[in-house]
Amino acid sequence: MMTLQNRFLSFLLLCFTGATAQYTDEINSNRPGNSMSAFSVGKSVIQTEDGLNYINEKHNLMDYTVNGYSADMSFRYGFYRDELEAILSLNYQNDHYVTDWDNIHRKSIKTTTLGAKYLFYDPQKNYKKPVNLYSWKNNHKYNWHQLIPALAGYAGFNINTSNSLFFRGDEPVKKLTPKIMLISQNQFPGNWVFVTNIFADQITSPYHSYGYVVTLTKGFNDSWSGFFENRGIVGNYYSDGIFTAGAAYLLASNMQVDASISRNYKDTPKITYFGIGFSCRFDDDYSDLLLRIPKKKDKGKKDKSKQGKAKEKEKEKVKKRLDEVPLKP
């Protein structure tokens, strides 16, 4: 189970989890899609997820075009407990906004978001599939328990430093706006992972929006995975539906590369993105924090601790002296 979800969620995924720990043998990256998985990277683990995108926009009614590139950078850190992680996301954009009467070169950090995610329900935790010793059929029938999703919540703040360059509305952009999200994740047989995000973004701002992201990922083997994603956005300033498809390749247990293409369904504006990305995990400190179940000591057995061993040695010395028969000269 844990290996399954890593491999696939390793790729955009979503992935991740063991019985109580979130750490997996292979990197768990949210790239290359836009959805956020329910599981964290694991306590004391640091992970970076970076991408570079080519941007092409054309608005038929307002008659403008945008060409340039953007860079996405995310930093994830697991702390306090395995279900909790802090996430810092930045988006830098460098483009040319061109109309019949103007050509504006825009370059700045478009969005900065700092938040935390917590897994509050894992259906696999403490779950053991019942075994029927008298029925092969019952043991191999469809397990409806796997339809129950893992659930997580996210809360954070957008720090809008230069949004006025990219938002063409008349209202001023607020410097600090909340963002919240409900996350669910299913692991299905055949190496399929399904993730759903329902979010409210830029809350309290004139440019607030609500929406969803659904991502379906398929693991083809130990290294390759592919995904398809749909993102819907509804707001007074901007509404859209964006489709994304891509693939990821596991370079090593802690490194992944990916590529994707995105396209929306309308032409106000018409948007096309091409992206490549790289994810890397730093987990050298995790081994010191692995959760282990303490072994129960049998009452009839001697204490094997250092103190117990020292007492046993002392007893052996005393016994040897009492039993020892001096040799005659």
Side-chain angles (χ1 to χ4, degrees):
M1 162 80 188
M2 184 169 71
T3 303
L4 204 82
Q5 64 190 48
N6 308 329
R7 291 176 181 169
F8 325 121
L9 250 188
S10 243
F11 302 105
L12 173 215
L13 310 167
L14 357 141
C15 35
F16 342 145
T17 184
T20 35
Q22 305 301 296
Y23 182 84
T24 52
D25 294 333
E26 294 152 0
I27 186 172
N28 301 315
S29 176
N30 288 325
R31 290 194 56 84
N34 293 279
S35 65
M36 187 181 293
S37 71
F39 298 91
S40 72
V41 292
K43 188 176 178 181
S44 80
V45 175
I46 300 173
Q47 188 162 305
T48 62
E49 301 172 4
D50 308 314
L52 189 64
N53 307 290
Y54 166 75
I55 301 172
N56 178 268
E57 293 184 20
K58 185 176 181 180
H59 202 295
N60 288 346
L61 295 179
M62 298 179 67
D63 197 25
Y64 74 78
T65 60
V66 174
N67 285 283
Y69 70 90
S70 69
D72 299 314
M73 294 156 279
S74 291
F75 303 90
R76 302 169 61 188
Y77 177 65
F79 69 103
Y80 184 60
R81 54 190 306 171
D82 279 310
E83 294 86 357
L84 182 64
E85 74 173 21
I87 307 169
L88 174 63
S89 301
L90 301 97
N91 175 260
Y92 172 83
Q93 189 160 320
N94 188 322
D95 63 35
H96 285 273
Y97 178 87
V98 181
T99 67
D100 290 338
W101 57 87
D102 208 352
N103 187 331
I104 303 173
H105 183 200
R106 306 179 299 183
K107 55 178 181 178
S108 181
I109 295 178
K110 186 176 180 180
T111 59
T112 301
T113 306
L114 177 62
K117 179 181 68 178
Y118 184 75
L119 175 73
F120 54 83
Y121 177 69
D122 179 0
Q124 300 304 321
K125 184 176 180 179
N126 300 324
Y127 170 75
K128 187 176 181 181
K129 184 180 178 181
V131 177
N132 189 329
L133 299 177
Y134 303 100
S135 175
W136 182 93
K137 183 178 179 180
N138 285 342
N139 290 330
H140 291 81
K141 69 180 181 180
Y142 189 81
N143 184 11
W144 294 99
H145 181 83
Q146 63 193 356
L147 295 179
I148 303 174
L151 298 174
Y154 170 90
F157 289 91
N158 300 295
I159 305 169
N160 303 313
T161 55
S162 304
N163 263 358
S164 56
L165 290 175
F166 302 96
F167 285 84
R168 312 305 297 179
D170 298 328
E171 297 288 336
V173 179
K174 291 190 176 182
K175 298 299 182 183
L176 197 66
T177 59
K179 179 178 181 178
I180 57 175
M181 187 186 306
L182 177 66
I183 304 165
S184 70
Q185 179 175 322
N186 291 89
Q187 324 287 343
F188 295 120
N191 302 344
W192 292 93
V193 179
F194 183 69
V195 171
T196 301
N197 294 175
I198 300 173
F199 65 86
D201 197 9
Q202 299 287 347
I203 304 171
T204 73
S205 166
Y207 305 102
H208 64 271
S209 63
Y210 306 94
Y212 67 88
V213 186
V214 291
T215 306
L216 182 64
T217 302
K218 165 69 174 177
F220 301 115
N221 53 44
D222 290 350
S223 298
W224 284 99
S225 71
F227 82 100
F228 181 77
E229 180 177 278
N230 174 234
R231 178 164 48 128
I233 305 168
V234 178
N236 294 331
Y237 174 74
Y238 176 66
S239 297
D240 206 345
I242 302 172
F243 299 91
T244 305
Y249 179 76
L250 197 66
L251 292 172
S253 62
N254 65 335
M255 288 186 291
Q256 170 196 303
V257 293
D258 60 73
S260 63
I261 179 172
S262 300
R263 176 75 169 84
N264 67 336
Y265 71 85
K266 66 178 190 177
D267 56 8
T268 55
K270 179 181 178 181
I271 301 174
T272 304
Y273 289 173
F274 296 96
I276 56 173
F278 177 76
S279 302
C280 186
R281 181 174 72 180
F282 305 91
D283 54 1
D284 291 344
D285 295 332
Y286 187 80
S287 58
D288 295 332
L289 297 170
L290 285 174
L291 300 177
R292 301 195 183 279
I293 300 174
K295 294 181 179 179
K296 293 182 179 180
K297 297 177 181 178
D298 294 335
K299 293 182 179 180
K301 291 185 178 180
K302 295 181 179 179
D303 182 12
K304 298 301 180 180
S305 64
K306 291 182 179 180
Q307 186 177 358
K309 288 181 180 179
K311 289 181 179 179
E312 287 182 11
K313 278 189 175 182
E314 191 64 26
K315 287 180 181 179
E316 287 177 4
K317 287 182 181 179
V318 174
K319 184 178 179 181
K320 184 178 180 182
R321 286 196 296 270
L322 292 174
D323 296 343
E324 187 175 24
V325 178
L327 296 173
K328 293 182 180 181

